């Protein structure tokens, strides 16, 4: 589509003014220099007239894509009714309808004995509320979390995130095949991770504070799209239950059908004591919810709470989204389509040496990029040449290559996110409403972008074993695609 002069002014002027007026805390705007003006479903139209397939989906917030009719209708209905848009935590018909629909979707073991707490508008607020809940319920202060975790950046939530340097949270090894912390991967690596957790909790000489709770993501999203093995999740439930440690499932990224089950913990059959919900739960509007076992939180009465909790428009949009996902079997659809996309991405990975691993669950997919010219970190693994050694002793991550892939995707009209420990994982989070044809288009554009970036990487520079690129002019690109707030 030809770019109009007016569109050109908008597409160039708005980012320029944003850069001049806003803080350096901007993240997505630097990696994705577009000005969205219209959106529907999977598609965003920029001010310059270009159309993009959006596989960022508001960082996973848009379960039904942009401006889905059922969401818009629900919002208009509240606006046209004259109902209050702000009601604190007063009971309203809108809130009542949301809670009823939420309870229809909860894991059976939790729904039968659950209470709902509306928190501030973001997932960070729900994480902080969960920490406060279990600390008051147990009388303990320590928390357990996992390496690679991203529970966001409020004081309590940031304590459990990978980047934090605080000492109140003890970090445990998260099982993964690629870059396994024990160098073995598979079921053996998961078993070692579980044993480490048991040993830490049962070692009288350990300096870890007695934990008030353990928080876990069934799929680490920002951590690099790493699904936890189902047996390991069940083991974590057994370990925590045997020691009266509340298990907190962070479903901010994974909830509402994203992973191929309505809630990611359902893959393993685990019933957590606490669930943290946000992102898609508000149907594209800010909302966060804490669901917990009813015997927790008995001392909460009269506790301070955020002013902006239970937003009426978000509750209405969230009810519409939950209902639509449930009635139309979108979680099952995500499982089937996600498996097909994962298979095609793995076929692509077999052809491209810059692809270290392809992984995911449902419509949460990730491609980890590595330096194609570097050998394994350890010489012995390199000599063995086996598939197992490649997975457990992989090549160095390639964040610059990942950033190049993101740029090449944008040139082809595809919006993707980056994540992982080294920002070297290309992440796909398409809406659950994506069609087979759209999925093929996404994979075609990503394939082209990967091949183009790999060619450019080979001709313009090489990633060193340290993970830094050697560029022709000595310039190292800025790190982009860092996670923003919840």
């Amino acid at each position: 589509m030809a770019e109009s002069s007016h569109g050109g002014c908008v597409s160039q002027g708005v980012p320029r003014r944003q850069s001049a007026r806003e803080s350096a805390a901007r993240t997505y705007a630097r990696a994705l220099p577009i000005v969205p003006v219209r959106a529907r479903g999977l598609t965003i139209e920029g001010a310059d007239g270009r159309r993009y397939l959006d596989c960022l989906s508001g960082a996973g917030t848009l379960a039904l894509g942009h401006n889905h009719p059922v969401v818009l209708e629900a919002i208009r209905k509240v606006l046209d009714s004259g109902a209050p848009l702000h009601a604190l935590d007063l009971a309203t018909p809108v809130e009542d309808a949301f809670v009823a629909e939420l309870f229809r979707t909860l894991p059976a073991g939790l729904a039968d004995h659950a209470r709902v707490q509306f928190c501030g508008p973001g997932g960070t607020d729900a994480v902080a509320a969960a920490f406060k809940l279990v600390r008051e319920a147990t009388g303990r202060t320590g928390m357990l979390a996992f390496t690679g975790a991203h529970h966001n950046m409020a004081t309590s939530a940031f304590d459990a995130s990978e980047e934090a340097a605080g000492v109140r949270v003890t970090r445990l090894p998260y099982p993964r095949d690629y870059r396994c912390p024990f160098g073995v991967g598979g079921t053996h690596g998961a078993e070692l991770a579980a044993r480490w957790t048991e040993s830490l909790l049962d070692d009288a000489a350990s300096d870890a504070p007695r934990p008030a709770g353990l928080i876990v993501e069934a799929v680490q999203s920002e951590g690099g799209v790493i699904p936890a093995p189902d047996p390991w999740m069940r083991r974590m439930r057994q370990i925590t239950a045997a020691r009266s440690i509340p298990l907190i499932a962070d479903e901010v990224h994974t909830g509402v059908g994203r992973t191929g089950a309505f809630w990611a913990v359902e893959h393993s059959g685990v019933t957590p004591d606490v669930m943290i919900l946000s992102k898609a739960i508000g149907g594209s509007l800010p909302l966060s919810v804490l669901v917990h076992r009813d015997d927790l939180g008995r001392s909460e009465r009269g506790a301070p709470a955020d002013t902006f909790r239970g937003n009426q428009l978000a509750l209405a949009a969230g009810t519409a989204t939950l209902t639509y996902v449930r009635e139309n079997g979108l979680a099952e659809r995500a499982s089937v389509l996600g498996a097909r996309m994962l298979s095609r991405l793995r076929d692509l990975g077999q052809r491209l040496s810059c692809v270290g691993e392809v992984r995911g669950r449902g419509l949460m997919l990730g491609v980890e990029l590595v330096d194609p010219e570097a050998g394994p970190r350890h010489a012995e693994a390199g000599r063995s040449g086996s598939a197992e050694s490649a997975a457990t002793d992989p090549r160095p991550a390639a964040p610059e290559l990942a950033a190049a892939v993101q740029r090449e995707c944008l040139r082809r009209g595809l919006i993707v996110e980056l994540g992982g420990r080294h920002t070297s994982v290309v992440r796909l989070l398409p809406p659950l409403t994506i069609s087979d044809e759209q999925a093929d288009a996404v994979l075609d554009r990503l394939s082209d972008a990967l091949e183009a970036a790999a060619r450019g990487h080979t001709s313009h520079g090489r990633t060193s074993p340290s993970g830094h690129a050697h560029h022709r002019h000595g310039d190292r690109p800025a790190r982009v695609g860092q996670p923003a707030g919840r």
Side-chain angles (χ1 to χ4, degrees), residues 255-397:
V256 194
R258 169 61 58 187
T259 67
F262 212 100
W263 308 107
V265 290
E266 292 180 300
H267 290 292
S268 60
V270 163
T271 301
D273 301 300
V274 183
M275 286 175 62
I276 298 168
L277 316 177
S278 190
K279 288 194 182 290
I281 199 74
S284 75
L285 299 179
L287 184 67
S288 73
V289 181
L290 194 66
V291 181
H292 61 82
R293 233 179 45 229
D294 56 9
D295 59 336
L296 297 173
R298 289 175 176 168
S299 62
E300 291 181 300
R301 193 168 183 175
D306 191 276
T307 301
F308 293 100
R309 60 193 185 277
N311 178 280
Q312 298 295 296
L313 292 181
L315 289 168
T319 303
T321 298
L322 289 169
T323 303
Y324 193 89
V325 171
R326 177 178 58 83
E327 291 183 346
N328 290 275
L330 292 191
E332 295 81 0
R333 161 76 175 162
S335 177
V336 172
L337 181 57
R340 186 168 70 82
M341 294 178 72
L342 192 65
S343 176
R344 186 172 162 189
L345 285 170
R346 283 175 173 159
D347 289 343
L348 176 64
Q350 292 295 317
R351 303 197 311 269
L352 296 176
S353 59
C354 64
V355 175
E357 187 183 41
V358 174
R359 53 185 178 255
R361 200 157 203 177
L363 289 175
M364 179 181 283
L365 304 168
V367 180
E368 180 163 350
L369 300 180
V370 297
D371 183 354
E373 299 179 12
R377 291 169 299 174
H378 302 101
E380 289 184 6
R383 285 194 293 270
S384 71
S386 68
E388 182 179 358
S389 67
T392 58
D393 199 30
R395 294 189 299 274

Side-chain angles (χ1 to χ4, degrees), residues 105-168:
T105 72
L106 291 177
L110 182 59
D112 296 339
H113 308 281
R115 291 291 183 270
V116 173
Q117 177 182 338
F118 291 100
C119 309
T124 294
D125 303 294
V127 173
F131 280 28
K132 182 175 184 292
L133 173 77
V134 297
R135 282 169 169 160
E136 290 186 354
T138 63
R140 302 188 290 263
T141 59
M143 296 295 300
L144 299 176
F146 293 92
T147 55
H150 181 78
H151 304 295
N152 224 286
M153 302 167 207
T155 301
S156 296
F158 188 48
D159 285 345
S161 292
E162 173 69 10
E163 304 89 345
V167 296
R168 288 186 294 172

Side-chain angles (χ1 to χ4, degrees), residues 403-466:
V405 170
Q406 187 180 45
R407 291 191 295 270
E408 292 292 343
C409 282
L410 198 63
R411 291 191 184 104
R412 288 158 176 78
L414 176 62
I415 298 173
V416 298
E417 169 69 305
L418 301 183
R421 272 82 160 167
H422 308 284
T423 325
S424 60
V425 179
V426 177
R427 299 164 59 211
L428 297 179
L429 296 167
L432 308 187
T433 52
I434 186 174
S435 68
D436 288 352
E437 294 76 17
Q438 288 174 327
D440 287 338
V442 165
L443 295 178
D444 287 342
R445 296 183 192 191
L446 177 58
S447 176
D448 288 347
L450 280 165
E451 291 173 353
R455 288 194 301 270
H457 177 81
T458 301
S459 61
H460 290 92
R462 183 179 67 81
T463 304
S464 71
S466 65

